[in-house]
């Protein structure tokens, strides 16, 4: 696996346009199965997106990329299975389940299993699909899903506003018979984007402010669509963290400040200057960061779990103590031990992490444990004295397009080994 060599103590500053959102592009690529031709603009070039393209190709689609536009052609003869190897390439491949069921009336996929963030059950996905008339049999680690006739709309109360389950239900409900009502649905911008894509191909979806989604099943969907994926809010937050950690001054463009309404005040609390425009965010880091009293990760519109690790990297350099409470995933502090190799002082106890800021970090050899944890290590290395080696960067490439190129253009000294 490749590594990054990062020479720290260089300010991150300048201007950077943000790429499209990974977590919006992935379900939208699955939704491309429901129409014949999808032209998707602002589709980021990431290994997870390539994994989704491999799945589509396996299912019988053609996928072509021209710059940031991906064109998916999904003619007749679509297959309904995803082999284990492709499922394992990307955990979120489970979102293909709802789309394949709608397209083919049956689906066979392997059980996604756990991942680096701890156990990742899909009980909410499966219970909801069963309520919609899907028969699900577990067979040697595979899920064999069949439907007698058509899926049927129903009223669903999600025990937790799961992003993936909400996406699978939407993909199953658009052509189901009757109306599906999802109470306690996820409200992330990426859900709104998937609903936007489905609406563009003729689905009838009503997103209510209280987290209820109403989907009226339609008979058919339109054959063609051209759609633009929303900007990546987590990539935006990550680059802002890099600027804040190095006392830099950064203007992030082609982004959406509204998606970061719970995050931007945290930068201000830490002493950064933040200004926003319609599709841009300006941030100037202070000489020394202040701690952030409490970061509690929550479903949207709360503080995103995906920004927890980058913020923890930032808080290691603050003058005082910061507290983190991770409420979404069971095991999302693996980066803490790696940050400690660079001189950070962090205590983790279950879902709580207490970070006592230090005046400076030093370089070290550190290993990415997951996508956002990997981004956090890069942020710490950019601020640390000396040259750090960040290994296993394949994790980072799942979610950040050409990270080293972008950071270099902003003044970082970073090379790939
Ligand atoms: N959960 C269940 N049962 C289910 C589904 C979820 O117990 O059936 C639990 C999960 O184990 C987890 C929590 O609910 O503890 C949240 O899971 P959710 O389903 O909301 O997340 P996801 O769909 O698996 C997406 C993003 C994640 C992001 C989370 C939370 C994609 C492709 N992934 O995952 O993104 O952290 O929502 O916002 O959209 C990342 O980009 O680094 C990443 C991990």
């Amino acid at each position: 696996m490749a590594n990054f060599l990062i020479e720290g103590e260089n300010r991150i500053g300048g201007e950077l346009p943000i790429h499209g959102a990974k977590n919006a592009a992935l379900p939208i690529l699955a939704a491309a199965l429901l129409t014949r031709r999808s032209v998707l603009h602002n589709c980021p070039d990431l290994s997870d997106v390539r994994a989704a393209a491999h799945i589509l190709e396996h299912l019988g689609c053609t996928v072509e990329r021209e710059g940031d536009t991906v064109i998916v052609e999904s003619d007749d003869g679509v297959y309904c299975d995803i082999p284990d190897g492709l499922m394992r390439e990307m955990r979120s491949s489970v979102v293909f389940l709802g789309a394949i069921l709608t397209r083919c009336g049956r689906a066979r996929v392997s059980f996604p299993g756990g991942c680096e963030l701890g156990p990742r059950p899909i009980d909410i996905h499966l219970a909801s699909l069963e309520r919609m008339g899907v028969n699900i049999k577990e067979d040697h680690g595979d899920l064999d899903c069949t439907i007698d006739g058509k899926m049927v709309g129903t009223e669903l109360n999600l025990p937790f506003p799961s992003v993936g389950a909400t996406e699978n239900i939407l993909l199953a409900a658009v052509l189901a018979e009757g109306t599906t009502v999802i109470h306690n649905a996820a409200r992330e911008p990426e859900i709104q984007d998937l609903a936007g894509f489905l609406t563009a191909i003729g689905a009838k979806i009503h997103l209510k402010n209280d987290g209820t989604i109403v989907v009226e099943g339609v008979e058919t969907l339109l054959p063609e669509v051209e759609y633009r994926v929303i900007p990546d809010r987590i990539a935006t937050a990550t680059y802002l963290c890099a600027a804040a950690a190095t006392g830099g001054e950064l203007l992030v463009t082609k982004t959406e400040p509204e998606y970061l309404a719970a995050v931007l005040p945290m930068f201000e609390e830490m002493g950064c200057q933040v200004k926003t425009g319609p599709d841009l965010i300006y941030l100037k880091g202070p000489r020394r960061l202040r701690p952030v009293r409490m970061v509690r990760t929550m479903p949207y519109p709360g503080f995103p779990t995906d920004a927890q690790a980058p913020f923890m990297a930032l808080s290691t350099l603050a003058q005082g103590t910061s507290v983190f409470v991770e409420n979404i995933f069971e095991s999302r502090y693996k980066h803490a031990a790696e940050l400690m190799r660079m001189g950070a002082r962090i205590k983790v106890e279950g879902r709580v992490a207490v970070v006592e800021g230090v005046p400076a970090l030093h370089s070290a050899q550190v290993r990415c444990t997951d996508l956002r944890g990997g981004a956090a290590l890069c942020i710490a290395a950019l601020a640390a004295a000396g040259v750090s080696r960040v290994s296993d960067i394949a994790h980072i490439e799942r979610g950040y397009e050409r990270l080293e190129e972008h950071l270099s253009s902003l003044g970082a000294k970073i090379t790939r080994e």
Side-chain angles (χ1 to χ4, degrees):
M1 252 199 219
N3 308 320
F4 282 144
L5 288 181
I6 302 178
E7 187 184 329
E9 292 188 301
N10 287 300
R11 286 206 169 126
I12 295 303
E15 194 174 318
L16 183 74
I18 290 297
H19 57 72
K22 164 177 86 79
N23 291 347
L26 295 176
I28 290 175
L29 283 166
L33 280 174
L34 307 186
T35 183
R36 278 181 179 268
R37 187 167 196 271
S38 307
V39 179
L40 300 176
H41 301 297
N42 206 28
C43 194
D45 193 5
L46 305 165
S47 58
D48 265 11
V49 169
R50 289 192 286 275
H54 292 155
I55 293 176
L56 285 170
E57 282 164 350
H58 167 83
L59 295 172
C61 304
T62 58
V63 185
E64 272 174 37
R65 175 178 282 279
E66 287 166 19
D68 76 352
T69 299
V70 168
I71 301 167
V72 183
E73 308 250 8
S74 145
D75 286 334
D76 304 324
V78 163
Y79 291 95
C80 64
D81 75 295
I82 306 181
D84 190 50
L86 284 176
M87 281 298 281
R88 280 179 198 273
E89 247 185 77
M90 176 183 64
R91 183 201 125 104
S92 36
S93 42
V94 72
V95 79
F96 276 86
L97 184 56
I100 297 176
L101 280 169
T102 293
R103 176 72 194 254
C104 307
R106 63 172 305 161
R108 192 176 172 98
V109 300
S110 70
F111 221 88
C115 78
E116 59 274 1
L117 306 182
R120 301 271 298 259
I122 53 164
D123 53 316
I124 306 172
H125 303 236
L126 301 185
S128 308
L129 291 172
E130 277 180 331
R131 294 275 319 280
M132 296 178 74
V134 181
N135 311 306
I136 302 175
K137 270 197 226 138
E138 217 188 310
D139 177 18
H140 296 92
D142 276 359
L143 291 168
D144 196 13
C145 307
T146 52
I147 305 163
D148 304 321
K150 242 182 148 186
M151 284 189 278
V152 281
T154 185
E155 194 146 338
L156 301 164
N157 284 295
L158 305 193
F160 179 86
S162 156
V163 172
T166 303
E167 290 165 350
N168 256 329
I169 299 165
L170 282 177
L171 291 163
V174 285
L175 286 177
E177 203 173 296
T179 303
T180 305
V181 182
I182 319 170
H183 297 288
N184 199 27
R187 290 192 270 169
E188 271 67 5
E190 294 77 18
I191 297 283
Q192 299 167 26
D193 209 27
L194 172 63
F197 176 88
L198 292 169
T199 304
I201 56 172
K204 288 200 175 151
I205 302 175
H206 180 44
L207 304 173
K208 296 191 182 171
N209 287 336
D210 66 352
T212 305
I213 302 181
V214 181
V215 187
E216 259 179 71
V218 294
E219 284 292 321
T220 52
L221 294 167
L222 302 174
E224 285 192 30
V225 64
E226 191 164 348
Y227 195 75
R228 189 172 180 82
V229 175
I230 58 170
D232 197 307
R233 62 195 166 106
I234 306 302
T236 304
T238 303
Y239 285 107
L240 292 174
C241 281
T246 57
E249 197 173 351
L250 179 66
L251 181 67
V252 172
T253 62
K254 295 192 179 169
T255 189
E256 178 46 80
E258 207 185 296
Y259 298 159
L260 290 165
V263 173
L264 298 181
M266 299 293 182
F267 282 115
E268 288 176 320
E269 191 180 327
M270 297 182 89
C272 302
Q273 252 186 61
V274 179
K275 287 181 201 155
T276 61
D279 62 352
L280 36 95
I281 305 174
Y282 162 89
L283 179 143
K284 186 168 192 276
R287 253 169 208 267
R288 177 91 199 262
L289 289 155
R290 294 198 296 260
V292 55
R293 259 158 294 167
M294 177 78 85
V295 171
R296 283 175 194 274
T297 66
M298 301 289 260
Y300 193 81
F303 189 95
T305 171
D306 295 342
Q308 176 256 107
F311 262 79
M312 185 174 288
L314 207 54
S315 69
T316 62
L317 287 161
Q319 193 165 20
T321 302
S322 305
V323 177
F324 291 79
V325 183
E326 173 56 57
N327 290 307
I328 308 295
F329 288 106
E330 254 177 51
S331 174
R332 209 172 194 179
Y333 285 136
K334 293 202 175 119
H335 46 277
E338 300 297 310
L339 289 170
M340 284 161 74
R341 286 169 163 252
M342 303 174 86
R345 289 206 197 127
I346 308 173
K347 278 198 186 124
V348 174
E349 186 77 48
R351 289 184 179 271
V352 179
V354 179
V355 183
E356 202 186 308
V358 292
L361 296 173
H362 55 74
S363 61
Q365 302 223 14
V366 289
R367 192 176 64 82
C368 300
T369 52
D370 62 271
L371 163 60
R372 308 302 172 188
L377 299 181
C378 291
I379 292 165
L382 288 167
V387 179
S388 297
R389 174 177 281 117
V390 181
S391 66
D392 288 10
I393 58 170
H395 287 292
I396 295 177
E397 290 168 343
R398 288 182 37 225
Y400 296 92
E401 201 180 77
R402 303 196 303 277
L403 182 82
E404 76 270 35
E405 207 179 290
H406 288 145
L407 285 174
S408 297
S409 77
L410 298 174
K413 291 207 172 133
I414 172 169
T415 50
R416 178 183 288 260
E417 206 185 36

